[in-house]
Amino acid sequence: MAPLDAKALVARQRAYFETRVTLPLEWRREQLRALERAARQHEVQILDALRSDLSKSPEEAYLTEVGSIYGEIKNALKHVKAWMEPRRGSAPLVIQPARAYQYADPLGVTLIIAPWNYPYQLSIAPLIGALAAGCTAVVKPSEHAPATSRVLARMLTQAFPPEVVSVVEGAAEESRLLLEERWDLIFFTGGPGVGRIVAQAAARHLTPTVLELGGKSPCIIDRSADLEVTARRIAWGKYVNAGQTCIAPDYVLIPPDLKSRFAGLVRQAVTDFYGADARESSDYGRIINARHFERISALAADGQVAFGGERDAASRYFAPTVITDAPLSSPLMQEEIFGPLLPLVDCASIDEAIRFVRSRPKPLALYSFAKDAAVNERVLAETSSGGAVTNDVCVHFAAEGLPFGGVGESGNGGYHGRSSFDAFSHKKSVVKRPFALDMKLRYPPYAGKLGLFKRFM
């Protein structure tokens, strides 16, 4: 593979963008249709690659990655014309006669850096927004999901000329070379550590960023919750993709006297989902690589294993696991777990749970379980998180009409649906005025006009 010439890559896309050919509606629709055709033509290879990288079953891969991409493309094709229309604003009396608008200008040449945990979905979803907004894009898939990276490179290279969409495969060195260049937007999905590196690189050129990071997403369980349904839903969200999900429940805050029953219900849900031995289930995934497997193994030693804990380094299998009595200062309770470990934390009241969440960095997601709607509303009002769900987990990601993103340590910016279009657009304020009725009020001399200013402004 030839060395990456990032400067030439950016220059080629910038020269193409400067022709303004990306502005018309039909260009944008053509690119979205080309992306959909390519996705459907490569669907089998994508499913095979996700099986190879993460041991995802075709069903889970379609549910969590492939199917949502078709939905996002369909939504963009349907609504991109409306998204492009200038939005009316209000013009105050002092500047009348006038009409005010907000125009959506494409930002330009963009960089999309994708993670390994949902390597297809999190590469293509932001690309949909870039193309709908009239931008060009360079996509950098994760080297930790090599089979998916190869399919993405083949698929996007066949679908687009390099001046519209290019794919750069590689590892840290390729990312470093890309980040040295000036982009019009960098869209990064990954951990806070690398997110800081991306933000620092972007700051050198005052480049805007969308940072989709992570964090420790809590579940708060009230005494009024339906504990059986709660356990089943949390178990699904925690153990899908072997826990390697940025919005997976990271830990559970639960009244101490409910902890044992809840752990038993989670165990039953795991058995219902994956059978008596999850390693025999085609629906249970594997840890991405040996380094991550070792990290999760070390975290599992920070508390008492209520159930699970079985593992096999050779196949990178790590069983669905519940842990109790982990010290709050331990790595298990300080780091984002990103694996199939679910710590249960004693929390006697909603007051205590809210204080606990507020004392820590703002999470990417927060989940509150209560039959008492007032309890859930209080949790929503008194905590801050990128997104939230009451009485379920993770499902807000599928709500394409809502922006998905973090806050504080868990990221900035949002996407999905119109929010993806907005993420890759500059909102340009425009006021249109005629030559007629040129009021002299605003022009000097101002003596004697203070009363009029107060009246009209």
Side-chain angles (χ1 to χ4, degrees), residues 227-237 239 261-276 278 307 320 322 342:
L227 211 58
E228 183 176 351
V229 174
T230 297
R232 184 163 56 246
R233 291 177 178 178
I234 289 176
W236 170 78
Y239 301 123
R261 180 173 172 235
F262 177 77
L265 290 170
V266 172
R267 184 173 196 163
Q268 183 59 55
V270 168
T271 301
D272 292 344
F273 296 164
Y274 307 116
F307 75 82
V322 166
L342 183 64

Side-chain angles (χ1 to χ4, degrees), residues 2 29 113 413:
R29 283 179 167 165
I113 303 177

Side-chain angles (χ1 to χ4, degrees), residues 341-379:
L341 311 179
L342 183 64
L344 306 186
V345 179
D346 291 349
C347 207
S349 68
I350 292 299
D351 287 343
E352 185 180 341
I354 290 172
R355 285 195 299 270
F356 188 95
V357 171
R358 288 174 62 90
S359 71
R360 294 179 166 232
K362 296 176 181 179
L364 182 57
L366 182 143
Y367 308 116
S368 177
F369 292 83
K371 284 184 179 178
D372 185 345
V375 170
N376 284 333
E377 287 302 319
R378 185 181 167 207
V379 171

Side-chain angles (χ1 to χ4, degrees), residues 101-103 426-431:
Y101 299 91
Q102 184 186 94
Y103 279 51
H426 166 62
K427 311 305 181 300
K428 181 169 66 180
S429 298
V430 175
V431 173

Side-chain angles (χ1 to χ4, degrees), residues 349-419:
S349 68
I350 292 299
D351 287 343
E352 185 180 341
I354 290 172
R355 285 195 299 270
F356 188 95
V357 171
R358 288 174 62 90
S359 71
R360 294 179 166 232
K362 296 176 181 179
L364 182 57
L366 182 143
Y367 308 116
S368 177
F369 292 83
K371 284 184 179 178
D372 185 345
V375 170
N376 284 333
E377 287 302 319
R378 185 181 167 207
V379 171
L380 293 176
E382 297 184 22
T383 62
S384 179
S385 58
V389 182
T390 64
N391 301 332
D392 207 341
V393 299
C394 302
V395 294
H396 62 302
F397 188 86
E400 63 185 23
L402 299 178
F404 175 84
V407 58
E409 284 279 314
S410 58
N412 62 69
Y415 71 121
H416 289 181
R418 176 161 196 156
S419 297

